[in-house]
Amino acid sequence: MTALSTLPPETAEALHATREKVCALHAELTRWNLVTWTSGNISERVPGTDLIVIKPSGVTYEDLTPASMVVCDLHGAPIEDGCSPSSDTDAHAYVYRHMPEVGAVVHTHSTYATAWAARGEAVPCAITAMADEFGDDIPVGPFALIGGDDIGRGIVATLTGHRSPAVLMAQHGVFTIGKDAKSAVKAAVMCEDVARTVHLARQHGPVHRLAQEHIDALYDRYQNVYGQRKGTDS
Ligand SMILES: O=C(CO)[C@@H](O)[C@@H](O)COP(=O)(O)O
């Protein structure tokens, strides 16, 4: 068990900043009604290290603090004594080991998206907001019991080579990935938003997937043109 005090100063500083950020972003899961009680969790890589920070298991959101965020290696083992890491840590860690481009992982049981997961049905890319953020349908991954690599393996198998940053794990809930925790949280927020919209639309009639050429054009615009140019004050 490595004592955090033995880490180089720059690593300790990066770790502290990541703990602060990951703790603060958990408030976005409750703000957008994506979680109930202690469900859900966020993790992020600590820059320049083979460490991650993840939510402690079973701690209510109002009791989360930066210091309670658990520091683990890429196999999900805590590197110091303290809180027990999320029960989904194995899944997060598997994603980090097999998708090096992923900087953060989020897990929720958000209502509408989890209803699609309960049916094992992908959310069809039927609205422009889906094309913007997901660039495709939101896919379904296989059901897997918690603990071990099965959930993580299903996430990686489903999202590798897929434009969507979100996957609906069958009969379980949502996992999203991103370059950083804010991106992965945004994907979770948008996943629930579009799952609700398409669900409500389908209650009153069929929904139709957008033409692929339109999905591609919308995705390219949103990912590469939308918003403020990088580096401009906004
Ligand atoms: O979905 C599961 C397990 O897969 C929940 O227990 C999870 O959302 C919350 O667990 P943690 O409190 O992070 O251990």
Side-chain angles (χ1 to χ4, degrees):
M1 188 78 75
T2 312
L4 292 189
S5 58
T6 64
L7 295 173
E10 63 276 11
T11 302
E13 189 177 322
L15 194 150
H16 176 74
T18 305
R19 276 175 138 165
E20 295 263 342
K21 183 203 301 187
V22 170
C23 181
L25 280 167
H26 275 88
E28 294 298 307
L29 302 188
T30 51
R31 175 185 174 201
W32 294 96
N33 296 314
L34 303 183
V35 294
T36 303
W37 199 242
T38 61
S39 70
N41 37 70
I42 303 172
S43 70
E44 188 178 65
R45 289 184 196 270
V46 179
T49 75
D50 286 335
L51 300 174
I52 63 171
V53 164
I54 192 164
K55 177 195 141 203
S57 185
V59 178
T60 51
Y61 279 76
E62 61 271 19
D63 291 336
L64 292 176
T65 64
S68 69
M69 297 294 118
V70 185
V71 185
C72 297
D73 64 21
L74 292 184
H75 288 273
I79 71 162
E80 63 166 354
D81 291 330
C83 294
S84 299
S86 167
S87 44
D88 288 305
T89 300
D90 287 336
H92 290 236
Y94 188 94
V95 172
Y96 289 121
R97 294 197 305 275
H98 292 84
M99 299 181 83
E101 73 280 8
V102 171
V105 179
V106 171
H107 173 47
T108 79
H109 295 166
S110 62
T111 302
Y112 283 88
T114 302
W116 287 87
R119 296 194 305 274
E121 185 179 358
V123 183
C125 191
I127 53 177
T128 59
M130 284 196 69
D132 290 347
E133 176 72 19
F134 302 96
D136 204 332
D137 303 345
I138 299 176
V140 173
F143 173 77
L145 287 174
I146 188 169
D149 290 341
D150 290 347
I151 293 177
R153 189 175 289 114
I155 296 167
V156 171
T158 308
L159 291 185
T160 297
H162 200 294
R163 281 200 300 216
S164 173
V167 56
L168 310 175
M169 296 303 282
Q171 296 177 283
H172 181 178
V174 178
F175 281 86
T176 64
I177 58 176
K179 63 181 172 58
D180 55 26
K182 185 176 180 181
S183 303
V185 167
K186 179 191 174 191
V189 172
M190 299 296 285
C191 178
E192 177 63 6
D193 182 59
V194 300
R196 176 170 55 241
T197 301
V198 180
H199 168 87
L200 294 175
R202 253 195 6 187
Q203 284 185 317
H204 301 286
V207 296
H208 303 290
R209 194 176 189 276
L210 291 165
Q212 190 58 49
E213 62 184 295
H214 295 158
I215 293 172
D216 295 343
L218 288 162
Y219 183 74
D220 180 62
R221 182 200 71 88
Y222 188 76
Q223 299 297 324
N224 301 304
V225 177
Y226 172 73
Q228 300 304 312
R229 288 190 307 282
K230 300 289 178 286
T232 55
D233 292 338
S234 56

